Amino acid sequence: MSLLHAKATTLERAQRKFRERGDISDAQGMDGDYLDFAEALSDIRDQMAFSSPAVAGQLVTGRILTVDDKGATLDFGGKMPAYLPEVTGEVLGFVRGVPIVSLRGIQLEEAWDRVAELARKELSFDVTILDVNEGGAIAEFHGLQCFLPGSQAIGALDASSVGANVTVKVLDFSEEEGRLLVSQRKLAAANAPPLVRGAVVRAKVTGLRNYGVFLELDHGMNGLLHLSQISHERVESLEKLFRVGQEVTAMVLDVDKGAGKIALSTRALELVPGDMLRDPAQVYARASEAAAAHMATAESERRTREAATKQIASELATSDAGREALSSVTASIESILAAIVDSSK
């Protein structure tokens, strides 16, 4: 007996058995003759005759045919039935004494567990963009909706982004609040070559604020050129110096790799105070020379301070006056600590 004929026979038996079952139609919210078995048989024959073979990774919807203690067989319109191994579900409620079970809750719990693991291990993963709005993109990961803020995306987010898979890292999440924020920039920062204080970098202006200029470096890292670090002289208008999309050269002051942010300076590149206001192109052209001079001066000043500190400490430790001063300081500290202890009693 062919599989088609076997399925047809099964449905015909079901037709005869359930033709007078009014409770089935009530449970479905339809009238008593809601099942047109002739049409159902025809549809199934058509599906089985013409449907293409299933492939790995394909999502299919089917109807349960048989159930045993290890799983269930499903008819999803293919030439052969599919097998669904035993799964765990959540009972949502009962209809006429029959439990209604959903896999959704269990799947979401597993997805949140996976998110927690990815965040803990700082691993990257792929999400699928579902929609784009002014703030960023709504994406999906194992049934969870997540949000990719525009400030954490690399490149423009627009209608063409919908349906795309992007690789991200967890930026923040809360299972209790149902919040999952992801970031492309955090991933890019983790893969970026190390940046050190004093390095000269090229960056693109992405935004202007009253406190400074936002810049985007290679590998998607964000930088801030603070207003106080633009020039030794007062900056009257950022708009006169910078525009969105403009390429600038700056020196790295500090790096927060975990947050993917960098503090930058063009002030440090001025060989003459005010050069950034008069001729920025000249500052950029001589950036490497100026950065090297700035770092050499900073290192010299650091060593001078360190030597002066050591000399003062040595003099205090060896001279009578120094020992008396240290003794006085020690006594004062002990007196303050004693007073604190007494007041806490």
Side-chain angles (χ1 to χ4, degrees):
M1 180 184 296
S2 69
L3 180 61
L4 272 173
H5 186 265
K7 286 182 173 291
T9 302
T10 300
L11 284 174
E12 287 166 352
R13 287 202 303 269
Q15 180 186 28
R16 292 193 298 271
K17 182 175 180 180
F18 296 109
R19 186 184 301 277
E20 305 302 327
R21 287 283 302 275
D23 60 331
I24 294 180
S25 61
D26 291 341
Q28 300 294 328
M30 302 181 181
D31 55 26
D33 57 354
Y34 75 100
L35 283 178
D36 186 343
F37 275 84
E39 183 178 350
L41 287 171
S42 176
D43 288 344
I44 288 180
R45 289 190 179 103
D46 290 343
Q47 292 172 9
M48 295 181 67
F50 299 107
S51 61
S52 57
V55 295
Q58 177 184 358
L59 297 178
V60 297
T61 301
R63 187 181 300 275
I64 295 176
L65 297 177
T66 63
V67 179
D68 58 28
D69 58 352
K70 294 184 179 179
T73 56
L74 304 178
D75 172 18
F76 64 94
K79 293 182 179 180
M80 294 289 290
Y83 185 72
L84 176 67
E86 180 182 3
V87 295
T88 302
E90 176 186 5
V91 177
L92 300 180
F94 296 83
V95 175
R96 299 180 182 274
V98 177
I100 305 301
V101 180
S102 171
L103 305 182
R104 176 67 172 169
I106 301 298
Q107 291 169 340
L108 290 182
E109 286 186 16
E110 293 176 348
W112 281 116
D113 289 343
R114 178 61 175 156
V115 167
E117 179 183 19
L118 291 169
R120 183 176 65 256
K121 296 182 178 180
E122 289 285 334
L123 299 176
S124 62
F125 56 98
D126 289 343
V127 299
T128 303
I129 295 180
L130 304 177
D131 193 17
V132 175
N133 55 41
E134 292 183 358
I138 299 171
E140 183 269 342
F141 173 71
H142 286 221
L144 297 176
Q145 281 201 357
C146 54
F147 187 65
L148 172 61
S151 61
Q152 294 295 324
I154 297 178
L157 291 172
D158 52 33
S160 65
S161 305
V162 175
N165 291 329
V166 296
T167 306
V168 297
K169 277 193 170 186
V170 175
L171 185 64
D172 185 29
F173 78 99
S174 170
E175 181 178 354
E176 292 74 16
E177 299 176 10
R179 181 182 71 253
L180 173 56
L181 299 179
V182 297
S183 172
Q184 288 179 289
R185 293 191 183 278
K186 185 176 180 180
L187 172 62
N191 296 331
L195 283 175
V196 296
R197 189 172 185 271
V200 175
V201 296
R202 292 286 290 174
K204 181 184 294 185
V205 176
T206 58
L208 302 177
R209 300 292 186 273
N210 58 2
Y211 52 84
V213 182
F214 283 105
L215 302 169
E216 179 179 319
L217 287 73
D218 291 338
H219 301 281
M221 295 186 73
N222 288 322
L224 174 64
L225 177 59
H226 194 271
L227 186 64
S228 64
Q229 287 297 327
I230 294 176
S231 175
H232 286 84
E233 296 187 0
R234 179 180 175 83
V235 178
E236 298 293 342
S237 173
L238 288 176
E239 288 75 12
K240 291 182 179 180
L241 289 175
F242 305 99
R243 67 181 185 280
V244 174
Q246 175 185 350
E247 294 281 343
V248 303
T249 302
M251 191 192 82
V252 176
L253 283 182
D254 192 23
V255 179
D256 183 351
K257 192 170 182 179
K261 296 180 179 180
I262 304 174
L264 300 168
S265 174
T266 53
R267 169 178 170 162
L269 302 180
E270 290 184 328
L271 294 177
V272 177
D275 277 351
M276 267 300 294
L277 307 183
R278 292 184 292 268
D279 191 355
Q282 182 184 19
V283 174
Y284 301 155
R286 303 174 64 180
S288 296
E289 174 190 351
H294 175 86
M295 294 304 294
T297 300
E299 178 64 15
S300 176
E301 292 175 349
R302 184 191 67 79
R303 290 180 177 178
T304 299
R305 290 193 300 270
E306 186 177 85
T309 301
K310 289 181 178 179
Q311 182 177 354
I312 293 172
S314 176
E315 290 176 354
L316 288 174
T318 57
S319 67
D320 292 338
R323 284 193 292 271
E324 290 178 4
L326 287 175
S327 177
S328 176
V329 170
T330 302
S332 297
I333 293 175
E334 291 177 348
S335 176
I336 293 172
L337 291 175
I340 293 173
V341 172
D342 289 340
S343 65
S344 64
K345 293 181 178 180

